[in-house]
Amino acid sequence: NAGVTQTPKFQVLKTGQSMTLQCAQDMNHNSMYWYRQDPGMGLRLIYYSASEGTTDKGEVPNGYNVSRLNKREFSLRLESAAPSQTSVYFCASSRLLAGGLTDTQYFGPGTRLTVL
Amino acid sequence: DAKTTQPNSMESNEEEPVHLPCNHSTISGTDYIHWYRQLPSQGPEYVIHGLTSNVNNRMASLAIAEDRKSSTLILHRATLRDAAVYYCILKETSGSRLTFGEGTQLTVNP
């Protein structure tokens, strides 16, 4: 199993450019998530998808859109990049733990994005 | 979301036990206590979780106070590879979000 994979690993954009960050998981998980992490801070949730076909806003959704393409793939799009979106972006997926009442999240390696 | 409070940083020596504290005085009855850690330049990884009883797994132990207002992650023998930021997170049901604080930066000295 590859787990959670993200592409690209690094990206530099100019202000106003657009791009899509790709995320895929091969663990048959229902839920997927996009977080951003700014230097010296914890992760903040951008969007999540509890199941295929559904998406919901997280803590910091402004400036982003998402698509849950199928059960495996969850993409994050920046329509018009701004310097404030310079960050490390992590994708995650989750599986239920024993008992079925809570779950654990598995994270990808991250995409390091710089917006000039 | 109920909040957690952790020390900003802690230090340990290699092969000694480490006790990482977490306060969560506003925890609700349905909140699970989850611990994740983030090694340098990597995504977070799950460490352990519990509800009321103490828990052990191959990575660590979790000790939960009787009133559930605090918990302690225990690494029994720290290694250099355990140097990471450790996050204590309260989580409701499955499929719900993780709310990360700033965590505890653990330094392990050789």
Side-chain angles (χ1 to χ4, degrees), chain B residues 17-37:
Chain B
V18 182
H19 291 234
L20 296 163
C22 181
N23 287 322
H24 29 78
S25 58
T26 59
I27 190 171
S28 74
T30 55
D31 284 339
Y32 284 79
I33 301 160
H34 283 244
W35 284 82
Y36 283 74
R37 71 179 186 181

Side-chain angles (χ1 to χ4, degrees), chain A residues 14-89:
Chain A
K14 294 180 181 177
T15 297
Q17 286 185 317
S18 62
M19 79 161 295
T20 300
L21 281 64
Q22 305 287 354
C23 174
Q25 53 92 8
D26 61 0
M27 297 175 283
N28 201 36
H29 291 169
N30 286 323
S31 301
M32 297 185 73
Y33 311 80
W34 275 106
Y35 295 87
R36 61 177 285 175
Q37 185 174 33
D38 299 328
M41 296 180 64
L43 281 71
R44 291 184 292 169
L45 183 67
I46 306 171
Y47 271 93
Y48 66 105
S49 171
S51 61
E52 188 179 355
T54 68
T55 59
D56 285 288
K57 294 179 180 179
E59 184 185 351
V60 288
N62 290 346
Y64 305 95
N65 285 303
V66 290
S67 296
R68 183 74 183 267
L69 303 168
N70 48 54
K71 192 171 185 180
R72 291 186 64 248
E73 297 171 292
F74 189 36
S75 63
L76 179 72
R77 183 160 178 84
L78 287 70
E79 290 292 351
S80 178
S84 61
Q85 293 178 305
T86 293
S87 191
V88 181
Y89 290 84

Side-chain angles (χ1 to χ4, degrees), chain B residues 4 23 42 70 73 93 101:
Chain B
T4 62
N23 287 322
Q42 294 189 26
S70 65
L73 179 70
T93 56

Side-chain angles (χ1 to χ4, degrees), chain B residues 50-87:
Chain B
L51 185 62
T52 56
S53 305
N54 295 344
V55 184
N56 300 298
N57 66 20
R58 63 175 181 81
M59 289 181 72
S61 296
L62 177 60
I64 301 173
E66 201 168 326
D67 63 5
R68 299 209 327 128
K69 293 186 177 181
S70 65
S71 60
T72 302
L73 179 70
I74 302 165
L75 307 179
H76 295 286
R77 290 183 68 212
T79 68
L80 296 178
R81 198 194 170 277
D82 291 322
V85 178
Y86 287 78
Y87 297 99

